[in-house]
Amino acid sequence: FTSSFRIEAMSNALKNIKEFINLSQFDEYSARILCMTGTPTGEQIYFKYYNILNTIYIAKKENRTKALTFVLCKNDDEKIAKIAFHIAKSIKAGKRVLYPTNAGDVQAIKLIGMIEFELGRKVKWGYYKKSNANSEMAQSINNDASIKDYEVVLASNYLSVGIDINDITDFECV
């Protein structure tokens, strides 16, 4: 599912649930509603207003190490050079890299070229975006929940919440 679909679907679902609640509010025999979500998308705030939400949180053990580093750059050329250097460093360390971008094919090829220059070799990479939905890499993610042997996956917001990648490997999101 893409983010735009999810927004419309969630909005419609909330409207329908609200209507059911209004219809059943004074009926003790009416059905109760259970809304299960993986990632909260506004329903907690929406239903809290009506004072009718009982929330149950399920916490799972997080095995990943998450860290965030901010890097300031003087211009776009310095930015892409630092990103390419960081991705190359991650690949040298044996990691796979996910790089979210909507910059397009020209910028993707420029970035990969800089990474390959830094590594001194070719890199197996793919760009997960709507126009590449039939590519081998996109099919692997969609059908097998795997990036297989790709070292770098560039991804537009088409690779969004709800798309699983189950590979057990060391990932880095740059």
Side-chain angles (χ1 to χ4, degrees), residues 2 14 52 84 92 98 122 136-137 140 161:
T2 62
L14 289 174
I52 54 170
K92 287 178 186 175
L98 174 63
K122 293 284 185 192
E136 179 215 343
M137 190 254 326
S140 175
V161 178

Side-chain angles (χ1 to χ4, degrees), residues 120-134:
R121 67 172 178 83
K122 293 284 185 192
V123 175
K124 185 158 184 188
W125 68 283
Y127 196 166
Y128 189 99
K129 59 183 183 169
K130 191 171 188 174
S131 64
N132 292 348
N134 293 323

Side-chain angles (χ1 to χ4, degrees), residues 16-138:
N16 289 336
I17 292 169
K18 180 185 170 197
E19 186 177 316
F20 288 133
I21 290 168
N22 288 338
L23 291 172
S24 65
Q25 199 168 14
F26 301 105
D27 183 356
E28 66 181 290
Y29 300 107
S30 65
R32 300 299 174 234
I33 297 171
L34 176 65
C35 181
M36 298 175 63
T37 64
T39 303
T41 56
E43 67 276 3
Q44 293 173 337
I45 294 168
Y46 183 80
F47 288 119
K48 193 172 196 169
Y49 173 80
Y50 295 101
N51 199 24
I52 54 170
L53 179 68
N54 293 326
T55 305
I56 301 170
Y57 293 98
I58 307 292
K60 65 179 183 178
K61 183 178 177 184
E62 181 60 70
N63 296 325
R64 298 172 292 180
T65 302
K66 296 181 180 182
L68 177 65
T69 304
F70 289 96
V71 178
L72 301 177
C73 301
K74 294 178 184 175
N75 54 49
D76 282 346
D77 290 336
E78 181 184 2
K79 176 188 73 174
I80 197 158
K82 285 188 177 193
I83 291 168
F85 179 78
H86 186 85
I87 291 173
K89 183 178 167 187
S90 297
I91 291 171
K92 287 178 186 175
K95 296 179 181 179
R96 307 272 183 95
V97 177
L98 174 63
Y99 178 63
T101 180
N102 284 321
D105 291 329
V106 172
Q107 291 298 316
I109 291 167
K110 180 179 177 181
L111 176 67
I112 295 300
M114 295 174 82
I115 295 166
E116 290 177 343
F117 179 81
E118 181 65 30
L119 291 172
R121 67 172 178 83
K122 293 284 185 192
V123 175
K124 185 158 184 188
W125 68 283
Y127 196 166
Y128 189 99
K129 59 183 183 169
K130 191 171 188 174
S131 64
N132 292 348
N134 293 323
S135 71
E136 179 215 343
M137 190 254 326

Side-chain angles (χ1 to χ4, degrees), residues 32 51 69 113 115 144 150 158 164 172:
R32 300 299 174 234
N51 199 24
T69 304
I115 295 166
D144 304 328
Y150 286 88
Y158 190 64
D164 292 327
E172 182 155 348

Side-chain angles (χ1 to χ4, degrees), residues 133-151:
N134 293 323
S135 71
E136 179 215 343
M137 190 254 326
Q139 291 297 311
S140 175
I141 291 173
N142 293 339
N143 299 333
D144 304 328
S146 173
I147 64 165
K148 298 194 179 187
D149 60 344
Y150 286 88
E151 296 172 283

